[in-house]
Amino acid sequence: MKAFPSLSVPLLLASLSSVDVVGQERLPVIDMHMHAHHIPLDLPAGAPPPCLPRPCQPEGAATATAEESLRKTLQAMERYNIVLGFLSSPDLDIVRDWVAAAPERFIASPFIEAPGDLSPEMLRQEYEAGRLAGMGEIGTQLLGVAPNDPALAPYFALAEEFDVPVLIHTEGIGPPVPGFRTAAGSPLLLEDVLVRHRNLRVFVENSGYPFLDDMIAMMYQYPQLYGDLSTITWVIPRPAFHRYLEALVGAGLGKRLMFGSDQMRWPEKIGEAIETIE
Ligand SMILES: [Zn+2]
């Protein structure tokens, strides 16, 4: 994982200019934000996906089992020529199952829910053994824990030491869980982390949406900071997504934006995410 896969969106965008929508093969895409049948909510099978602003009526039905999620995820990866997915879950057994089912298809990574749930000592062994190649999603904002909280320091240190990219949920939006705090999602809160870890490569879910100005400032100042375009391709109204994307590209940051589907238990959102960008 030495080469940070910042090529995913450029590849995707390149595919748009060169591919006739009808019939021609798609160029390869890297999906930098997938989950192995994981969502930080207790949802029944068939539950609709999240959407904003609430109330809203999204299309889609949550899968019932990890096997169903895997099967439908692989189908979508085939269909859209997604050659690699950055895959996380707090349950590392499921991540391992998916990697075993589709070798070379996933970058395995731990989902950090509460600091300490997956111990840094255990994760160190996984990195040393080569079984993990990413850090995150760090989803502690769902508990109101900001990126600069000292409880996360060991995870950033570990990621820098093993030179693996870090995905973090630092933005204004998130699932409707009681502990979530919008204020803990300001991209400015990453500054302490990036100053302390100059070689740490971090990518921010949804490029910090909707904290556009703060995200641009941080990306200008810290070249090791990247953004993904994930849930906002299907959670928020499409015009709002397009405005955000246009502003980031207009600011000259297009080469540091990476595609992600944030596939959780709605594999059909993978295709929707790609089509939104197209
Ligand atoms: Zn996610």
Side-chain angles (χ1 to χ4, degrees), residues 4 32 86 165-168 201-205 226-228 258:
F4 197 75
M32 284 301 290
F86 185 99
V166 179
L167 164 59
I168 188 164
R201 297 168 297 152
V202 178
F203 65 109
V204 179
E205 171 163 328
Y226 296 71
D228 86 14
M258 303 189 293

Side-chain angles (χ1 to χ4, degrees), residues 215-238:
M215 191 67 191
I216 291 174
M218 290 294 289
M219 289 179 79
Y220 279 174
Q221 201 64 26
Y222 299 97
Q224 73 271 42
L225 187 64
Y226 296 71
D228 86 14
L229 305 164
S230 54
T231 20
I232 51 171
T233 60
W234 53 270
V235 161
I236 63 172
R238 201 167 272 193

